[in-house]
Amino acid sequence: MSRIKSPAELEAFRKEILAQRDPDKPCITLCSGSACNATGSGKVAAALELEIEKQGVTTEVVSRRTGCHGFCEQGPIVVIYPQGICYLKVQPEDIAEIISETIKKQKIVERLLYVDPNSGERATLEEDIPFYKNQKRLVLGSNRKIDPRSLEDYLAVEGYQALTKVLFEMTPEQVVGEVKDAKLRGRGGAGFPSGLKWDFARKAPGDQKYVVVNCDEGDPGAYMDRSVMEGNPFAVLEGLMIGAYAIGANEGYIYVRQEYPLAVANLTVAIEKAEEYGLLGKDILGSGFDFTIKVHRGAGAFICGEETSLLNSLEGKAGEPNARPPFPAIRGLWTKPTNINNVETWANIPMIINKGAAFFSAIGTESSKGTKIFSLVGKVNNTGLVEVPMGASLRDIIFKIGGGVPGDKKFKAVQTGGPSGGCLPEGLLDTKVDFDELSQAGAMMGSGGMIVMDEDTCLVDIARYFLAFLSDESCGKCTPCREGIRQMLKILTNMTKGLAKEGDIDLLFELAEATKGSSMCALGKTAPNPVLSTLKHFREEYEAHINEKRCPSLSCKALIDFYIDPEKCKGCGACFRKCPAEAIEGGKKRIHVIVQDKCTKCGGCHEACPAAFDAVNILSGVPVPEATPEEARAIG
Amino acid sequence: MKKLLLKKEIDAFRLKAQTLEHPREMVVDLLRAIQDHYGWVPDEGVELTADILGVTPIEVEEVATFYDKIYRQPVGRYPIHICDSICCWTRGGEEIAAYLQKLLGIELGETTADGLFTLLPTCCLGGCGRAPSIMVGQRFHGNLTSEGLEQIIHELRAEAGG
C-alpha cells in the first residue's frame, strides 16, 4: 500500500477494509496485554493458530490478538464475536474444545464461563458479567476489538475520521473550542481543563511548538495508561495529531516509562504503519499539515511523570522539576511552547471530535465530564481496569463492578489518587468520582489508581508505605520535599514500631503544612496527603499506636504477638508443623506454646490453626499471658 | 575485552547526533545501548556518550546516576526488579522478595557469585492486576508464588547454561 493522499482515498481504503470483513463471521479475540502475556497468553495464541488449522476452520473464523480487556484477574481472556461469548482463564488445552464446540457447533463451553461468586450463576456474554455490565467503555472499548498493531483494524473502528474532519473542516481555533466545550479535564492527576491548556499553547508566541504524550505512569497501583498505549496506540497518535494541529506544532514526543516495553513495541509498530500510509510525515492526507513523532523511553524515575521533570528528561537532563510559572505552554521543551497531556487525555480527543463536545459533556457531573478509567486493585474480588462515567459512586465501582472485598473480610478504606491522594472510609463510599468532590472528601482523582483495603490493613502503615515510596522518589532538589517527607516518614515508622511519642500527631500536621506549602513541584506539594487523609478519617488508629502501643488492625508486626489460647488448643500440631522459626513447643496431646523470643510473627500458625479450634490469637496493646508450665500442658 | 559498543553502532550514533538540533536528547538512548551491549555503564561509557553528544562527562553522569534503570555498577546477566508497589506489597510482595533472596543467597542490591542474577527493588511495574510481580530484564512475570519463582530461576539458569 502506498501513501494515502486525500480524505477520499482514506475513505475508499476504509470501505475496502470493511468490505472484506464479514460482521457475522466468528472472530476469536485473545487478550494480549502485559498481564495476560505474563500468564501464558502467548501459548494460548500459538494453540489457537494451530487448532484453527488442524480443525480446518481457517476460512470460517478470524483470530485476533488484542490489547488488554481489563479483567486482569481472570486472564487470559478469549471473546468470540459477534455474540461476545466470553471465556476466562483460558489455557492452551482449552482451545481445541472452543473450536470444536463453540465455533463448529455453536455450543458454549460452560466451564470457561464467568461464575458469579455470590449467586453461582454463569454469564455467557461479556456484557452479562457484572464487571463489564456496569462500565461505560468509551476509551477502553476498542481495546478488545482491535489488534493494536493493525492500522486496518483501527480504520475499521472509525480511526482517523476525527483527524480528517479536523484537517479539512475545522480551524485550529474551532478544534480548541470543541475541546473547551467538551469540558475535558486532564486525566493525569491535576484535572486542569485541557481546552484551556491548548489555548495557552496555541496563543503563545513562537514558530516552533511541541506536543508531548505523558506515558510515564508511575503511581503505585495504576496501569490505565499502559493498557491504552498497549491496546490502542493509534487512538493516542490521532489525538496527539489533532492537538498538534490545534496549537500549531509539527513535532511530537511520546515519553514512555522504561517498565512498559510492550507499550513501546506496539507504539513503534503503529508509528511505522502510520508513516508508511502517509498518516504521519509530510503533507498528511494532502492537507499541508506535517507531523513527526519520536518515542522517548524513560529510565526509571517516578518524578518524570511531573511535566517539567519530564521535559527536562526529554532534553537529556536529569528529570528534575522546574518552578512554574512559566508553564510549559509558554516555555516548555527547549524553551518552546509545549502542550503536554497524559495518555488517557489524548485518547479521549478523537471521540470528542467524532461525536462532538455536546455528546461528551452530556456524560458526567457538572464539573467533570466524560468517563474515567480506574485501576481497581488491592483487596477486591475483581481486580482490573474499569471505565465509568464521571459521577459514578465509589460504592458502585468497588461493590457492583469490583464484586466487593474477598473472603468474609470487611471493607475498610479506599485509596484514590496514588501517593498524592488519600484514603476514604466506608462512610464516604457514596462519594462520586468527580475531580472536585474527591478533593473535598480529602482524596483526589489523581491518575486513576483505586486501591481497596480491608479490615486487616493498618492505615498508619499505609501512610508510612506511601511516604517511604515518596522519600525514595523525591528528587531532592528542594529542601521541603526532601526533608519534610523524610521526617514525616521517621515519625510514622516509629509509630508502626511502637516508638511514637505524645505530640507526634501535632508534629506531623506541622511538617505536612510546611511540605505542602513550600515544595517546588506537585510531588512535594501533595506528599502529605496520605498522612493528612488517614489522620482525618482514622485518627483513632494513630492514637492507639501512640498511646496504647496497639495496632487496631493487628498488622504492625512490632505491635502484635501471637498467642495460643490453652483453653482452645487441641494439640493437633498444625501450627507446630507450619512454624518456619521452630518457635512452637508442642507434642502429642499437649497444649502448644509459642516461644515469644523465637517468633518471627509471620502469622503461619494463625492460618494453620483449624477454624473449628481458632486457638491462635493475635494480641496487640496487651501483655502476652504467662505460658502454661511444662507440667500442665497435657490435654485430657 | 568486551567493547562498550560496536564501531558501526558508534558511527550510527555520531551520524544521528549530527542530524539532530539537540543531540543531547539521545543521552539515555546511548547509555542504554551501552548497557545492553556491555551489561552496565562504566566510566568509559559515560565518557564515550559525552564525546558523541558533544557535552561534558559530568552532564552525562548527572543523567546516568539519576535513573535507577541505568546501571552504573556491574549487574548480573539477569537483573531482577522486584516490585514493591502497594498492590504487590499487600499481596505478598515482601515474602516474594525474601524468598528470592533466600533462593539466590544474596541480599537486595547484590549479585550472585556466578554473575547471573542481581536483585533490585523497583516501584511500580504496573502489573497491579497480577500482583505480586517481578521483571527480569524486560520480561514481566506476575501472580508469583514460590514455585513460580523457582521455575523462572530454573529456566534462566538453563538458558544461561545452554
Side-chain angles (χ1 to χ4, degrees):
Chain A
M1 179 74 198
S2 55
R3 287 175 68 89
I4 301 168
K5 295 189 208 69
S6 68
E9 278 185 33
L10 181 71
E11 283 320 302
F13 184 42
R14 192 193 312 277
K15 265 193 191 143
E16 194 186 311
I17 293 165
L18 291 173
Q20 286 164 1
R21 297 186 176 201
D22 176 359
D24 296 327
K25 189 172 179 175
C27 175
I28 308 174
T29 67
L30 168 67
C31 176
S32 300
S34 284
C36 281
N37 274 349
T39 33
S41 178
K43 285 180 186 152
V44 178
L48 187 60
E49 211 171 297
L50 196 79
E51 209 55 46
I52 287 175
E53 186 112 342
K54 204 165 130 195
Q55 300 201 25
V57 288
T58 327
T59 53
E60 288 141 57
V61 293
V62 181
S63 74
R64 189 170 292 150
R65 296 190 69 175
T66 69
C68 175
H69 291 208
F71 203 1
C72 304
E73 183 82 29
Q74 302 282 342
I77 300 170
V78 165
V79 181
I80 301 168
Y81 293 104
Q83 304 93 326
I85 299 164
C86 183
Y87 292 141
L88 304 169
K89 291 192 175 168
V90 176
Q91 296 304 311
E93 51 273 23
D94 298 323
I95 295 295
E97 199 178 343
I98 293 178
I99 305 280
S100 66
E101 295 302 305
T102 312
I103 298 296
K104 287 188 162 173
K105 299 183 207 150
Q106 280 81 50
K107 278 191 186 155
I108 303 297
V109 183
E110 296 276 334
R111 67 186 160 82
L112 296 174
L113 294 177
Y114 174 80
V115 183
D116 191 301
N118 301 318
S119 66
E121 274 178 43
R122 291 175 199 276
T124 308
L125 304 181
E126 197 178 27
E127 64 202 44
D128 295 335
I129 300 174
F131 178 79
Y132 290 114
K133 191 161 68 183
N134 296 300
Q135 295 192 42
K136 190 175 179 76
R137 303 196 138 208
L138 295 181
V139 176
L140 270 183
S142 293
N143 260 30
R144 58 192 178 186
K145 292 186 184 152
I146 62 174
D147 174 347
R149 300 183 176 206
S150 163
L151 178 66
E152 286 82 355
D153 279 9
Y154 185 60
L155 288 171
V157 293
E158 304 184 346
Y160 288 104
Q161 255 177 20
L163 180 71
T164 315
K165 183 173 170 186
V166 161
L167 292 180
F168 292 92
E169 295 168 30
M170 295 171 84
T171 63
E173 291 81 358
Q174 283 173 324
V175 178
V176 172
E178 197 73 16
V179 177
K180 269 188 183 171
D181 291 346
K183 301 199 175 105
L184 174 68
R185 292 173 68 171
R187 276 15 180 181
F192 192 81
S194 306
L196 203 56
K197 201 164 166 178
W198 288 24
D199 208 18
F200 291 148
R202 194 185 70 77
K203 286 180 179 153
D207 299 334
Q208 175 72 54
K209 295 180 184 180
Y210 296 99
V211 280
V212 179
V213 180
N214 183 347
C215 186
D216 191 60
E217 178 179 55
D219 278 4
Y223 63 108
M224 305 73 53
D225 292 346
R226 155 183 235 159
S227 291
V228 173
M229 197 54 112
E230 282 177 5
N232 198 356
F234 286 106
V236 181
L237 293 182
E238 190 182 0
L240 183 67
M241 291 166 82
I242 292 167
Y245 171 78
I247 74 154
N250 297 107
E251 281 181 58
Y253 282 84
I254 303 182
Y255 190 103
V256 188
R257 69 196 291 251
Q258 133 93 23
E259 291 81 353
Y260 290 179
L262 184 61
V264 173
N266 287 358
L267 181 62
T268 307
V269 173
I271 290 173
E272 281 167 9
K273 291 261 170 79
E275 280 169 348
E276 185 189 332
Y277 285 81
L279 291 161
L280 267 178
K282 292 254 175 243
D283 191 22
I284 293 163
L285 295 174
S287 64
F289 173 63
D290 305 334
F291 191 64
T292 54
I293 291 180
K294 283 185 196 162
V295 177
H296 183 101
R297 283 172 64 198
F302 172 71
I303 184 69
C304 289
E306 192 279 333
E307 60 180 13
T308 60
S309 307
L310 187 148
L311 295 177
N312 279 329
S313 180
L314 272 182
E315 290 181 7
K317 299 176 191 155
E320 291 175 349
N322 296 338
R324 298 180 307 180
F327 287 90
I330 309 299
R331 191 183 161 89
L333 193 60
W334 293 297
T335 72
K336 309 293 185 203
T338 302
N339 182 64
I340 173 165
N341 282 123
N342 138 289
V343 172
E344 193 183 336
T345 314
W346 288 118
N348 266 289
I349 299 295
M351 174 180 54
I352 290 173
I353 299 296
N354 276 332
K355 299 195 170 174
F359 166 85
F360 189 84
S361 62
I363 304 163
T365 63
E366 188 52 39
S367 69
S368 308
K369 302 295 187 188
T371 59
K372 177 77 193 88
I373 309 174
F374 290 95
S375 74
L376 186 61
V377 291
K379 301 291 174 69
V380 62
N381 277 311
N382 304 330
T383 57
L385 292 181
V386 304
E387 183 177 347
V388 291
M390 294 283 189
S393 74
L394 292 173
R395 189 186 302 281
D396 282 354
I397 297 175
I398 296 164
F399 290 90
K400 269 195 187 163
I401 299 174
V405 177
D408 47 9
K409 299 287 180 190
K410 263 180 66 187
F411 170 87
K412 183 172 190 178
V414 57
Q415 213 277 354
T416 70
S420 315
C423 286
L424 300 178
E426 191 168 14
L428 289 173
L429 271 178
D430 291 314
T431 305
K432 294 186 172 73
V433 292
D434 170 290
F435 287 102
D436 306 323
E437 204 169 306
L438 280 172
S439 299
Q440 274 157 24
M444 71 183 276
M445 182 80 80
S447 59
M450 194 176 276
I451 303 157
V452 181
M453 295 159 194
D454 67 9
E455 58 185 324
D456 293 343
T457 317
C458 170
L459 272 306
V460 179
D461 203 23
I462 287 289
R464 183 204 58 80
Y465 171 84
F466 277 116
L467 285 197
F469 169 79
L470 290 165
S471 175
D472 276 351
E473 297 294 348
S474 167
C475 77
K477 187 173 177 178
C478 72
T479 315
C481 172
R482 186 183 66 236
E483 287 306 314
I485 294 174
R486 212 163 67 97
Q487 295 306 325
M488 285 189 285
L489 174 60
K490 228 183 210 174
I491 296 172
L492 289 168
T493 307
N494 277 343
M495 283 185 185
T496 60
K497 287 188 171 164
L499 303 170
K501 298 186 297 287
E502 212 188 312
D504 274 355
I505 291 183
D506 293 336
L507 194 54
L508 273 179
F509 274 121
E510 205 179 310
L511 283 163
E513 212 47 54
T515 309
K516 205 172 166 175
S518 48
S519 290
M520 184 187 282
C521 82
L523 192 149
K525 283 185 203 301
T526 58
N529 285 357
V531 183
L532 293 173
S533 75
T534 45
L535 264 174
K536 182 171 172 188
H537 299 298
F538 301 94
R539 190 178 172 120
E540 68 285 357
E541 292 206 12
Y542 280 82
E543 284 164 352
H545 280 76
I546 300 170
N547 303 332
E548 303 164 49
K549 310 293 176 217
R550 178 172 69 88
C551 174
S553 319
L554 305 176
S555 148
C556 292
K557 279 192 178 171
L559 299 181
I560 56 169
D561 295 296
F562 288 84
Y563 170 71
I564 301 173
D565 186 341
E567 303 290 319
K568 290 183 176 172
C569 180
K570 302 284 185 246
C572 73
C575 59
F576 178 83
R577 287 189 294 276
K578 186 74 186 253
C579 180
E582 294 179 8
I584 296 181
E585 291 175 358
K588 232 179 190 177
K589 292 233 166 185
R590 284 177 69 78
I591 293 169
H592 284 48
V593 170
I594 297 172
V595 182
Q596 297 296 333
D597 297 347
K598 288 190 185 170
C599 177
T600 58
K601 302 179 184 178
C602 70
C605 53
H606 184 68
E607 278 167 35
C609 185
F613 305 159
D614 191 24
V616 180
N617 294 337
I618 310 175
L619 309 176
S620 186
V622 292
V624 181
E626 282 290 320
T628 314
E630 287 265 5
E631 60 278 12
R633 291 186 189 171
I635 301 175
Chain B
M1 205 192 104
K2 208 157 53 161
K3 284 189 173 156
L4 292 171
L5 272 180
L6 296 176
K7 171 134 192 342
K8 64 173 187 194
E9 289 172 298
I10 297 177
D11 290 344
F13 272 114
R14 282 193 197 280
L15 207 63
K16 197 171 170 202
Q18 284 168 14
T19 66
L20 290 176
E21 197 183 339
H22 307 282
R24 191 172 170 177
E25 69 176 275
M26 285 202 305
V27 60
V28 170
D29 295 338
L30 240 166
L31 289 170
R32 205 193 318 265
I34 291 171
Q35 180 165 298
D36 289 347
H37 195 261
Y38 192 79
W40 59 290
V41 181
D43 292 349
E44 296 76 23
V46 170
E47 284 161 12
L48 175 67
T49 304
D51 181 55
I52 292 174
L53 301 179
V55 295
T56 60
I58 190 67
E59 285 171 314
V60 176
E61 179 71 348
E62 252 179 24
V63 174
T65 53
F66 186 80
Y67 300 101
D68 66 9
K69 304 297 185 307
I70 299 291
Y71 311 128
R72 274 294 272 122
Q73 289 170 39
V75 291
R77 178 161 163 189
Y78 302 108
I80 302 178
H81 293 276
I82 309 174
C83 187
D84 56 11
S85 168
I86 183 145
C87 301
C88 290
W89 178 58
T90 56
R91 285 170 75 152
E94 279 178 337
E95 284 76 30
I96 289 296
Y99 188 78
L100 257 179
Q101 291 176 64
K102 206 173 113 191
L103 191 66
L104 298 175
I106 53 171
E107 307 259 312
L108 290 179
E110 292 181 350
T111 301
T112 50
D114 59 7
L116 282 184
F117 303 103
T118 302
L119 289 181
L120 298 165
T122 191
C123 184
C124 150
L125 292 176
C128 315
R130 292 264 154 199
S133 62
I134 60 170
M135 201 155 162
V136 185
Q138 291 281 289
R139 218 179 308 159
F140 173 83
H141 301 272
N143 274 7
L144 290 172
T145 57
S146 43
E147 296 81 39
L149 281 178
E150 272 175 37
Q151 175 79 15
I152 291 165
I153 298 295
H154 177 77
E155 281 172 15
L156 290 172
R157 281 199 175 122
E159 188 182 289

